Amino acid sequence: MRADQLIVNVNVYNSYYKRFELNNVAVLDGRFMYVGPGGPELIQADEVIDARGRYMIPGLIDIHLHIESTMVTPATFSHGLIRCGVTSIVAEPHEMANVFGLEGVQEMMAASRETMVNMFYAIPSSVPATPMETTGGSIEIKDMDVLLATGEIICLGEIMNYVDVIRDPECKTNQILQHIRQNYPDLVIEGHTPKLLGLDLHRLIYAGVDSDHTHQSIEGLQARISAGMFIEIQEKSMTPEVMDYLIQHDVAQHFCFVTDDVMPDSLVERGHLDHIVRKAIQMGMRPEDAIYAATSTPASRMKMTDRGSIAPGKVADYVLVSNLETLAIDQVYKNGRKAYDDYEPYKQERMTGQFPPHFYNSVQLDKLTVEDFTISLSDPKVRDAANQAVQDSFNCRVMMVKDGSTFVEEHIAQLQAANGELQWEDSGYGQIATFERYGVNGNRAHGLIGGDTIKRGAIATTYSHDNHNLLVVGRNREDMILAANTVISSQGGFCVVEDGKVLSHLELPVGGILTEEPLAVVSHQVKELRAAMLSLGYVHYNPIMSISTHSLAVSPALKITDHGLIDVNAGKVVPLIVEQQ
């Protein structure tokens, strides 16, 4: 019997029994052909690899992530993933879709076709995430039909506007769900259901949304699994209590590990899905079970019948590991060919022009001035027009940032007013402002911010989920102007300023959210950016993700978009000033 490759003396992970077995493995035409005791006496191979007792596991599969969260192109992302043993992903490009609509998705897919990692795609289902924000593009039902006709779509991406699904039968999201269930009944539908329980949770599942990847508690985990929902565990859900529950209960078929969002410096320094598997093992999960949750169950969830295990006929994506407890990756093979070797140089060449020219010119904003950061009492987003009594102080809503979460709580504080303006610079709180940057309507909104955010200086960014308008947080107008205008000049990115000096500037010229710089360069830039943010007094485990989600109108509890302050739980726009009753 002929084979392209024969790996001998290797401890092969058997997904069906969740155990390792000392065997030999033959690969033919990019797929596993044989797993068993037979060696060279049975199979003549062009290449024979002596694994010397190392462990062979399937290539890792991450079924819920956003490439844009790493701020790099698909080619750069693939380069970073391979060394982590990740060989297949399901990407949902709803960030690029918010900037460019259908074309944004199509161009991300096009940029992924020649990558080493197999990049399957989810249709962004919630673009825009809510009707309470302005984006550069949208994804409509007709666009979904176009994407599904390509044959490259594997699922409907996370349903984010769960409030409307439950409360408004005629909303856009419910129309999408009905269309998908009627016309594509076998398509997997992904969900985003933070803290949802009881009847509301069951109504969402009834609507077709049968997975959740948000922050889990034991109560939420039990409620979801008992109702037939599939759970995707990201790192923030890996609390001792949740991990102990997953270890002690027979729920292996009901969950998998995912990353969702990984910063570029974290990808370089800690890894990707391999980091999650490694952490699970360190927290007491058997290596065999942790590997299962990063290979077999994600493949099953996404109906990837050709991968996720080492067995005849499966795609020959595999990883050779020298230490199981630490998941020490020695080599990674893709379709039976070596893609990464820890003992050999692994370099990335810089690529430019991976997207159409107009993708590099998406920030349509003039330079901002002092007036743009004035919080005027005559602004209807600031004060209800029906209540215009003359006062010198007002009760105002404040977005309170809290370390350990991207949720932002609402706090009521009293601020002084003079000359028709709120005197926010003397209040002990900062200003948060957002500016529509696509040239659609010129909308803007102002709010107040406190808690574990910056105590001085300013930060500006177009990397603001999910609408990616220009978001500015600051303690004084001068620094806010400099930060904002620096980002505008570079066609997107991040800028951190203190006392009139730029401390850090990360340029993201592709759609205002991506860079074409190599991963090593971006990693260094992001590390510098994070340090600069922390130097302003930001207190957060991930300040970049924290500030980026201040405009995420589906994440509790008080957020801001160009439409104004958003009461997320109520699903409505509310004024900055709380009028006296």
Side-chain angles (χ1 to χ4, degrees):
M1 179 70 68
R2 187 193 71 80
D4 297 322
Q5 187 182 69
L6 180 65
I7 307 98
V8 299
N9 191 26
V10 63
N11 282 292
V12 183
Y13 180 67
N14 187 304
S15 302
Y16 310 103
Y17 283 101
K18 295 184 195 172
R19 69 190 184 201
F20 284 92
E21 301 168 342
L22 187 62
N23 268 317
N24 300 323
V25 178
V27 175
L28 178 65
D29 296 333
R31 293 179 179 268
F32 296 114
M33 181 188 71
Y34 169 79
V35 181
E41 77 288 348
L42 181 68
I43 299 170
Q44 290 73 52
D46 298 333
E47 178 187 22
V48 178
I49 300 171
D50 186 353
R52 304 185 307 280
R54 287 179 294 173
Y55 302 89
M56 176 189 282
I57 66 172
L60 305 183
I61 301 172
D62 191 339
I63 63 170
H64 183 88
L65 60 79
H66 311 283
I67 296 173
E68 302 98 316
S69 295
T70 312
M71 306 181 199
V72 297
T73 63
T76 298
F77 194 57
S78 174
H79 177 85
L81 291 180
I82 282 292
R83 62 183 288 272
C84 299
V86 180
T87 55
S88 299
I89 65 170
V90 178
E92 185 192 333
H94 69 231
E95 316 297 356
M96 195 62 86
N98 272 279
V99 181
F100 292 113
L102 174 62
E103 185 187 20
V105 179
Q106 292 171 325
E107 291 298 332
M108 286 292 284
M109 292 169 65
S112 303
R113 290 187 185 121
E114 301 302 321
T115 58
M116 180 67 70
V117 171
N118 287 139
M119 296 187 176
F120 301 94
Y121 273 83
I123 297 178
S125 65
S126 305
V127 179
T130 74
M132 300 175 290
E133 58 197 305
T134 303
T135 59
S138 65
I139 298 294
E140 307 299 331
I141 289 175
K142 66 179 185 298
D143 301 321
M144 296 182 178
D145 289 334
V146 170
L147 291 169
L148 283 161
T150 67
E152 299 178 59
I153 297 297
I154 203 166
C155 68
L156 181 66
E158 59 182 300
I159 297 293
M160 299 183 70
N161 195 1
Y162 57 92
V163 174
D164 277 1
V165 173
I166 295 167
R167 299 180 184 176
D168 183 3
E170 303 304 318
C171 73
K172 175 183 174 181
T173 306
N174 273 324
Q175 292 175 28
I176 290 170
L177 285 169
Q178 184 177 9
H179 179 78
I180 293 297
R181 294 181 73 181
Q182 286 181 349
N183 296 282
Y184 310 96
D186 296 327
L187 191 69
V188 174
I189 300 175
E190 292 287 270
H192 173 110
T193 62
K195 298 186 176 181
L196 214 57
L197 293 170
L199 177 59
D200 284 347
L201 176 66
H202 285 230
R203 289 176 66 186
L204 199 69
I205 297 171
Y206 180 80
V209 182
D210 63 350
S211 80
D212 182 31
H213 70 277
T214 60
H215 195 170
Q216 299 297 329
S217 65
I218 295 299
E219 180 186 23
L221 196 67
Q222 290 175 321
R224 283 156 175 71
I225 291 176
S226 66
M229 193 173 244
F230 186 81
I231 309 298
E232 296 163 6
I233 299 290
Q234 54 176 300
E235 186 171 12
K236 66 184 179 183
S237 289
M238 296 175 72
T239 61
E241 296 79 17
V242 167
M243 290 304 296
D244 184 65
Y245 186 90
L246 296 176
I247 292 167
Q248 298 300 327
H249 293 78
D250 184 19
V251 293
Q253 299 303 124
H254 306 295
F255 82 93
C256 73
F257 292 126
V258 299
T259 59
D260 198 3
D261 303 297
V262 175
M263 291 287 113
D265 56 337
S266 180
L267 176 55
V268 169
E269 295 173 4
R270 299 197 306 169
H272 197 260
L273 192 59
D274 59 318
H275 165 70
I276 302 293
V277 173
R278 200 172 288 118
K279 183 171 182 175
I281 295 170
Q282 292 168 353
M283 294 182 75
M285 185 173 282
R286 290 195 322 141
E288 293 86 349
D289 294 331
I291 293 165
Y292 191 79
T295 56
S296 185
T297 46
S300 177
R301 167 67 185 169
M302 289 297 163
K303 303 178 182 179
M304 298 178 178
T305 58
D306 64 343
R307 65 197 66 213
S309 62
I310 299 170
K314 304 292 185 182
V315 174
D317 295 350
Y318 65 90
V319 184
L320 292 179
V321 174
S322 54
N323 186 311
L324 205 54
E325 295 297 323
T326 62
L327 204 73
I329 295 173
D330 287 356
Q331 285 96 28
V332 180
Y333 286 79
K334 187 76 185 70
N335 299 318
R337 295 174 179 266
K338 187 163 66 175
Y340 170 78
D341 192 318
D342 192 45
Y343 303 98
E344 297 175 357
Y346 187 64
K347 298 180 180 179
Q348 180 192 0
E349 294 185 4
R350 187 173 186 271
M351 298 173 60
T352 59
Q354 300 173 61
F355 292 88
H358 63 280
F359 273 52
Y360 303 85
N361 189 36
S362 64
V363 180
Q364 303 297 316
L365 265 177
D366 293 330
K367 295 291 184 66
L368 302 181
T369 66
V370 171
E371 288 72 26
D372 293 308
F373 294 100
T374 296
I375 303 181
S376 172
L377 297 177
S378 63
D379 183 345
K381 296 173 185 173
V382 173
R383 191 180 184 195
D384 189 337
N387 297 290
Q388 292 291 330
V390 177
Q391 297 172 231
D392 58 8
S393 66
F394 295 89
N395 288 329
C396 301
R397 292 181 169 88
V398 182
M399 296 170 58
M400 297 298 287
V401 179
K402 186 177 181 180
D403 186 15
S405 175
T406 55
F407 295 168
V408 175
E409 297 176 351
E410 178 181 311
H411 172 69
I412 306 299
Q414 192 172 76
L415 267 73
Q416 298 299 309
N419 303 317
E421 303 174 13
L422 281 180
Q423 302 301 297
W424 65 272
E425 286 175 288
D426 302 320
S427 69
Y429 297 103
Q431 182 185 156
I432 180 168
T434 184
F435 302 85
E436 185 273 311
R437 58 102 162 176
Y438 301 104
V440 175
N441 52 35
N443 276 355
R444 56 189 58 196
H446 303 272
L448 299 167
I449 193 164
D452 294 333
T453 186
I454 61 173
K455 308 302 183 289
R456 52 195 171 274
I459 304 169
T461 184
T462 50
Y463 184 82
S464 53
H465 301 304
D466 277 335
N467 48 70
H468 299 293
N469 286 311
L470 177 66
L471 185 75
V472 191
V473 172
R475 289 288 178 160
N476 67 83
R477 301 184 209 202
E478 290 74 19
D479 284 347
M480 294 178 80
I481 293 165
L482 177 57
N485 289 339
T486 301
V487 169
I488 292 170
S489 297
S490 63
Q491 277 297 309
F494 274 93
C495 184
V496 180
V497 171
E498 184 179 14
D499 295 332
K501 179 182 178 182
V502 174
L503 303 182
S504 178
H505 180 205
L506 170 62
E507 298 185 26
L508 300 173
V510 183
I513 58 176
L514 300 183
T515 174
E516 292 182 309
E517 293 294 332
L519 184 60
V521 173
V522 184
S523 171
H524 176 76
Q525 292 175 329
V526 167
K527 187 182 293 186
E528 180 188 73
L529 171 65
R530 182 180 287 106
M533 294 174 73
L534 294 174
S535 77
L536 300 185
Y538 219 126
V539 181
H540 202 279
Y541 77 100
N542 190 343
I544 297 173
M545 186 56 65
S546 172
I547 196 170
S548 298
T549 52
H550 288 350
S551 56
L552 185 59
V554 294
S555 176
L558 183 67
K559 296 296 175 75
I560 189 169
T561 74
D562 64 299
H563 285 214
L565 288 172
I566 309 297
D567 181 332
V568 175
N569 295 328
K572 66 179 183 180
V573 179
V574 294
L576 172 60
I577 291 174
V578 182
E579 298 292 349
Q580 301 288 346
Q581 299 297 321

